[in-house]
């Protein structure tokens, strides 16, 4: 196959444009391969293989990068714990232990609290709103400015969609029922719950089920029907609450060591950008396709779905915004990110309120009647 045939058949237009222009710049002409350098990278994921939709995004990215580079750019993917523990992926990328990671920025709010806005915060944006803010609303530039302080180049790494509010052994009818409740809920969601009187527990994925089983915790959150079903919480706690207001559209990210990114030939950077966007979009598609089926199975097993009461929703939203206002006073970059996010959020809520949300509401009511 002639080189140009290969390029037009396999490489997307954006990558093709970049590769041909880089050839021209080097005066190589269109015939010689643009993939002159063999690159071997290691990617540390923060996630176990069992989370196939999330972990699978890294494998999909690696496969695509290899194909698009004609086998020259190889990324070997390692699940959490094989090279580094899941919560140390950012450190490993920062220090160059690995060239690349797949993680959630909100694990690293200890480094800077503003990182939470890249993943999403309580009462924040849905997946579509988050993508729009990041890609078109100025979010990505602000987040990159923050990650740049840590020697990290950002690429999008997927989204789970709106998560569920978790599994409760007893019904939670009002704010008063949350007082003293032992719940596994990490991050900012946990900070908000703490302000509402919840006894917040932080447990990693594998430790949740046994803790729930022996009554060490009364409730836990995880992701949504597809992932939650696999961990079997429904066997112990039958009350499944909605919505997961602390993660209305949890985004993941690919982190790349800045020096490694800078050293990559431009065409390889384009390939990574393209493959990361593809893997991101596909993760959400998988959740949107698999969650409804999993929810049907859970309902058939006797799971009861409840909505959080209005007093819980209002008190949680108030507590969440108190936290954002407090943090804004401490750090100028946090304040800048918060300001951009808050403005985008307000407009976006209004727009979705008269378009998609209004439509879903109407169709939902007609289905019930
Ligand atoms: Ca969650």
């Amino acid at each position: 196959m002639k080189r140009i045939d290969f390029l037009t058949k396999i490489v997307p237009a954006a990558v093709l444009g970049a590769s041909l222009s880089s050839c021209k710049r080097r005066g190589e002409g269109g015939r010689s391969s643009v993939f002159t350098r063999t690159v071997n990278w290691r990617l540390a994921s923060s996630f176990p293989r069992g989370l196939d939709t999330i972990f699978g995004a890294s494998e999909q990215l690696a496969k695509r990068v290899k194909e698009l580079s004609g086998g020259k750019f190889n990324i070997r993917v390692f699940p959490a714990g094989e090279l580094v523990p899941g919560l140390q992926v950012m450190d490993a990328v920062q220090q160059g232990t690995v060239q690349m990671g797949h993680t959630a920025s909100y694990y690293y709010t200890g480094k800077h609290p503003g990182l939470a806005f890249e993943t999403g915060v309580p009462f924040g944006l849905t997946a579509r709103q988050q993508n729009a803010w990041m890609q078109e609303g100025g979010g990505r530039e602000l987040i990159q400015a923050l990650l740049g302080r840590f020697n990290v180049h950002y690429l999008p790494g997927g989204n789970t969609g709106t998560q569920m509010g978790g599994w409760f052994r007893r019904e939670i009818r009002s704010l008063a029922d949350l007082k003293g409740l032992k719940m596994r809920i990490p991050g900012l969601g946990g900070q908000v719950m703490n302000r509402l009187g919840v006894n917040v527990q932080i447990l990693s994925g594998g430790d949740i089920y046994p803790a729930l089983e022996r009554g060490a915790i009364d409730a836990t959150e995880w992701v949504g029907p597809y992932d939650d079903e696999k961990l079997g919480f429904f066997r112990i706690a039958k009350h499944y609450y909605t919505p997961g207001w602390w993660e209305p559209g949890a985004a993941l990210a690919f982190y790349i060591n800045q020096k490694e990114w800078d050293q990559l030939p431009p065409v390889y950077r384009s390939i990574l950008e393209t493959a990361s966007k593809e893997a991101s979009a596909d993760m959400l598609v998988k959740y949107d396709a698999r969650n409804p089926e999993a929810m049907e199975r859970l309902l058939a097993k006797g799971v009861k779905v409840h909505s959080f009461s209005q007093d819980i929703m209002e008190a949680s939203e108030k507590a969440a915004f108190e936290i954002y206002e407090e943090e804004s006073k401490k750090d100028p970059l946090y304040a800048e990110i918060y300001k951009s996010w808050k403005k985008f959020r307000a407009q976006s809520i209004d727009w979705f309120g008269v378009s998609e949300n209004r439509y879903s509401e109407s169709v939902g009511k007609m289905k019930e009647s």
Side-chain angles (χ1 to χ4, degrees):
M1 197 192 294
K2 274 194 274 176
R3 188 76 222 154
I4 197 73
D5 286 343
F6 166 76
L7 287 173
T8 45
K9 282 200 178 109
I10 303 184
V11 183
V15 179
L16 181 63
S19 59
L20 290 181
S21 65
S22 68
C23 277
K24 259 186 221 154
R25 275 203 303 278
R26 295 202 305 269
E28 291 170 3
R31 286 193 184 183
S32 60
S33 175
V34 291
F35 308 119
T36 49
R37 198 190 302 171
T38 299
V39 173
N40 294 312
W41 276 13
R42 296 192 303 171
L43 182 157
S45 173
S46 286
F47 312 103
R49 277 188 204 280
L51 277 177
D52 59 327
T53 36
I54 298 183
F55 180 78
S58 290
E59 290 183 312
Q60 183 183 336
L61 172 123
K63 183 170 173 277
R64 195 55 118 196
V65 165
K66 189 174 180 175
E67 285 168 1
L68 292 175
S69 64
K72 288 282 194 176
F73 190 176
N74 296 291
I75 299 171
R76 203 171 153 203
V77 177
F78 295 87
E82 275 195 20
L83 292 178
V84 289
L87 301 182
Q88 287 171 31
V89 165
M90 184 172 173
D91 299 78
V93 172
Q94 218 179 316
Q95 290 153 15
T97 312
V98 291
Q99 292 86 0
M100 191 168 178
H102 187 218
T103 192
S105 297
Y106 70 174
Y107 293 153
Y108 313 107
T109 49
K111 291 180 189 284
H112 193 286
L115 287 169
F117 287 96
E118 195 280 301
T119 313
V121 296
F123 294 93
L125 309 174
T126 63
R128 281 181 56 193
Q129 293 171 326
Q130 179 76 8
N131 285 339
W133 176 61
M134 283 295 283
Q135 291 184 39
E136 292 287 328
R140 183 167 176 173
E141 291 76 12
L142 290 164
I143 294 298
Q144 183 55 64
L146 178 48
L147 284 170
R149 293 182 180 180
F150 302 96
N151 200 28
V152 169
H153 182 83
Y154 161 88
L155 288 176
N159 199 300
T160 66
T162 304
Q163 297 197 2
M164 287 293 284
W167 301 87
F168 293 73
R169 294 168 74 103
R170 295 186 304 275
E171 266 190 76
I172 303 298
R173 291 196 175 81
S174 70
L175 198 51
D177 289 342
L178 283 180
K179 298 261 184 303
L181 186 96
K182 287 180 286 199
M183 180 173 183
R184 179 268 178 193
I185 173 169
L188 274 169
Q191 284 183 39
V192 172
M193 284 290 197
N194 184 276
R195 289 185 183 208
L196 304 186
V198 169
N199 180 345
V200 172
Q201 310 284 319
I202 315 283
L203 299 169
S204 69
D207 297 332
I208 305 174
Y209 188 91
L212 198 60
E213 195 175 32
R214 67 173 189 271
I217 53 173
D218 308 305
T220 184
E221 68 87 53
W222 185 236
V223 184
Y226 180 69
D227 290 325
D228 294 6
E229 184 188 27
K230 286 186 271 185
L231 294 189
F233 305 134
F234 63 89
R235 290 191 200 104
I236 307 161
K238 294 280 181 202
H239 303 285
Y240 199 19
Y241 274 76
T242 188
W245 45 260
W246 48 94
E247 283 172 299
L252 294 312
F254 289 111
Y255 283 4
I256 297 168
N257 177 281
Q258 189 62 50
K259 213 169 114 197
E260 296 287 347
W261 174 260
D262 293 342
Q263 285 170 358
L264 274 186
V267 62
Y268 288 20
R269 283 186 222 158
S270 282
I271 287 173
L272 268 180
E273 179 84 35
T274 302
S276 70
K277 281 191 174 159
E278 183 190 51
S280 288
D282 285 4
M283 186 193 294
L284 188 59
V285 163
K286 282 174 190 160
Y287 274 115
D288 285 344
R290 293 173 190 180
N291 275 327
E293 294 169 355
M295 187 60 120
E296 265 188 20
R297 287 193 296 271
L298 289 169
L299 291 173
K301 284 167 185 158
V303 167
K304 299 270 178 281
V305 175
H306 310 274
S307 295
F308 283 120
S309 61
Q310 196 58 24
D311 66 340
I312 291 178
M313 293 299 285
E314 283 167 14
S316 311
E317 191 196 40
K318 187 165 166 278
F321 278 83
E322 278 167 11
I323 295 173
Y324 312 147
E325 297 290 341
E326 286 165 20
E327 293 291 344
S328 280
K329 292 194 181 88
K330 296 183 206 159
D331 183 274
L333 185 51
Y334 186 103
E336 205 185 331
I337 295 170
Y338 174 55
K339 196 176 151 206
S340 160
W341 171 90
K342 197 178 168 191
K343 181 166 176 250
F344 191 92
R345 176 185 183 271
Q347 288 175 331
S348 198
I349 286 175
D350 288 346
W351 161 240
F352 276 90
V354 297
S355 56
E356 188 164 310
N357 296 349
R358 181 57 54 82
Y359 168 77
S360 300
E361 220 175 87
S362 305
V363 172
K365 274 188 191 139
M366 288 189 282
K367 191 174 177 242
E368 278 164 25
S369 64

